[in-house]
Amino acid sequence: MLRLEKGQANALFVTRIDRLARSTQDFLSIVDHAHRNNWRLVLLDLNLDTSSYQGRFVVTIMSALAEMERAIIAERQKDIHEDRRKQGLVWGKDLGPKPLISNEIVQLIFTRRAEGKSLRNIANELNASNVKAAYGGKWTASNINYVLAHKREEPDTQG
């Protein structure tokens, strides 16, 4: 918007109304600012130009609807999280993305490395045992190195 303020541009093009402002009040303040300073605000998703009275009217309504939609989504998400907490569900454990490599495999990799095995030997052992790497691929020395560098060694709880 700096170029608009300096008179180096005549219009601000926005892909979607919700990318410009999060509230109707903020959006309308931008629309007023554009009108007072003689530059156009063009909303591509609505195919509207705020340089006309009709355009400003429609975007005012659309902005209010977008704000209402955000509030509904936020409330729905809050209710979902509350229900999950009541059920004792934990994100990352019971829900959401699961680890691509089991704790047992991570422990095995750390154990084999501590025994002095090379990255290639560990990969070959896992491949010979038909243990799939992340995303179902074959193990390589670089996969093993990544696990060693980025995973925590899990305590052995079998003892």
Side-chain angles (χ1 to χ4, degrees):
M1 289 193 11
L2 186 60
R3 295 178 99 189
L4 291 165
E5 299 300 326
K6 289 182 175 182
Q8 297 171 340
N10 298 323
L12 175 62
F13 288 81
V14 180
T15 55
R16 290 181 31 191
I17 195 170
D18 63 348
R19 305 312 312 160
L20 181 62
R22 292 291 179 197
S23 72
T24 304
Q25 183 178 358
D26 290 342
F27 177 75
L28 293 177
S29 131
I30 294 168
V31 170
D32 286 343
H33 187 72
H35 185 64
R36 279 192 318 274
N37 292 291
N38 230 13
W39 49 269
R40 294 171 40 219
L41 176 60
V42 180
L43 303 164
L44 298 174
D45 63 334
L46 302 174
N47 196 23
L48 287 171
D49 185 339
T50 62
S51 64
S52 71
Y53 289 109
Q54 297 89 344
R56 284 193 300 279
F57 172 76
V58 172
V59 296
T60 300
I61 300 298
M62 296 307 291
S63 174
L65 290 172
E67 184 178 350
M68 183 181 74
E69 181 181 9
R70 280 190 298 277
I72 289 170
I73 291 169
E75 191 167 316
R76 191 176 304 134
Q77 282 301 112
K78 183 179 136 200
D79 291 345
I80 288 169
H81 291 301
E82 186 178 316
D83 288 345
R84 288 177 181 163
R85 277 191 298 278
K86 285 179 183 175
Q87 295 172 29
L89 300 174
V90 177
W91 185 261
K93 178 182 169 204
D94 306 307
L95 303 166
K98 305 288 189 277
L100 297 173
I101 303 168
S102 72
N103 289 339
E104 293 79 20
I105 298 303
V106 171
Q107 181 66 40
L108 178 69
I109 290 170
F110 274 93
T111 301
R112 293 296 187 263
R113 190 63 174 161
E115 293 170 354
K117 299 236 178 185
S118 71
L119 301 177
R120 169 61 39 212
N121 285 343
I122 298 169
N124 289 340
E125 178 184 340
L126 292 170
N127 288 329
S129 300
N130 290 321
V131 174
K132 299 290 182 199
Y135 304 107
K138 293 264 184 208
W139 286 96
T140 64
S142 66
N143 296 134
I144 301 300
N145 191 45
Y146 182 87
V147 170
L148 292 168
H150 294 91
K151 300 286 184 184
R152 280 192 9 242
E153 183 175 7
E154 297 296 326
D156 189 2
T157 57
Q158 297 176 351

